[in-house]
Amino acid sequence: MASSPIYIGTPQTWQAALSAANTNRNGTGTIVDVVTGGASGSRLDKIRVQASGTSSAGVIRFYLYDGTNTYLIKEMMVSAITPSASVEAWSGEWDCDGLVLPSTSWKLRASTHNAEAFKVFVKGGNF
């Protein structure tokens, strides 16, 4: 155990695009790497997902990959929305409260249930 606290040394904002449909919950199928852990690890604080256009009822799924196995850790429900000049496109946030990727072998991955375009933004940093 460390004798003094460790803080983020390099703030980061990671991003990735999702668009391929994947109805699996078991870590198989098309899954996009969003964040790869830094050499000394990374802390993730908040995740924002933004639809790029019309969305239908579905799910955004987040997975942890430890270098060998992929684990489903969060599902974010997507509402059916047709954006216009008076209706915002769907968006959602997950306050992941300091989720840590211990090393470069760990990754945060994501997928979308429906073949629709989304951008994923992650706020955090590397130790």
Side-chain angles (χ1 to χ4, degrees), residues 1 10 12 23 33 45 52 59 65 70 76 78 80-81 101:
M1 179 178 230
T10 308
Q12 297 279 337
T23 59
D33 292 346
D45 295 318
S52 299
V59 183
Y65 175 72
T70 302
M76 186 181 289
V78 175
I81 297 177
L101 304 179

Side-chain angles (χ1 to χ4, degrees), residues 20 23 30 54 60 72-73 88 102 105 111 122:
T23 59
T30 302
T54 299
I60 303 294
L72 176 66
I73 60 165
E88 293 180 349
S105 63
S111 67
V122 181

Side-chain angles (χ1 to χ4, degrees), residues 1-44:
M1 179 178 230
S3 60
S4 59
I6 300 172
Y7 300 98
I8 288 177
T10 308
Q12 297 279 337
T13 298
W14 297 274
Q15 63 85 29
L18 309 177
S19 62
N22 181 357
T23 59
N24 301 327
R25 286 185 166 92
N26 62 1
T28 63
T30 302
I31 302 175
V32 174
D33 292 346
V34 181
V35 178
T36 298
S40 297
S42 300
R43 187 180 83 197
L44 315 181

Side-chain angles (χ1 to χ4, degrees), residues 98-117:
L99 177 67
V100 173
L101 304 179
S103 68
T104 56
S105 63
W106 283 72
K107 297 179 181 183
L108 175 73
R109 294 177 163 176
S111 67
T112 176
H113 188 88
N114 300 324
E116 297 167 344

Side-chain angles (χ1 to χ4, degrees), residues 52-123:
S52 299
T54 299
S55 59
S56 53
V59 183
I60 303 294
R61 295 185 179 94
F62 293 95
Y63 304 86
L64 275 181
Y65 175 72
D66 66 5
T68 304
N69 300 298
T70 302
Y71 305 96
L72 176 66
I73 60 165
K74 172 74 175 169
E75 291 186 304
M76 186 181 289
M77 302 307 296
V78 175
S79 302
I81 297 177
T82 301
S84 67
S86 59
V87 177
E88 293 180 349
W90 178 88
S91 65
E93 288 190 352
W94 172 28
D95 183 358
C96 48
D97 196 28
L99 177 67
V100 173
L101 304 179
S103 68
T104 56
S105 63
W106 283 72
K107 297 179 181 183
L108 175 73
R109 294 177 163 176
S111 67
T112 176
H113 188 88
N114 300 324
E116 297 167 344
F118 296 91
K119 290 291 274 189
V120 179
F121 301 93
V122 181
K123 175 185 158 188

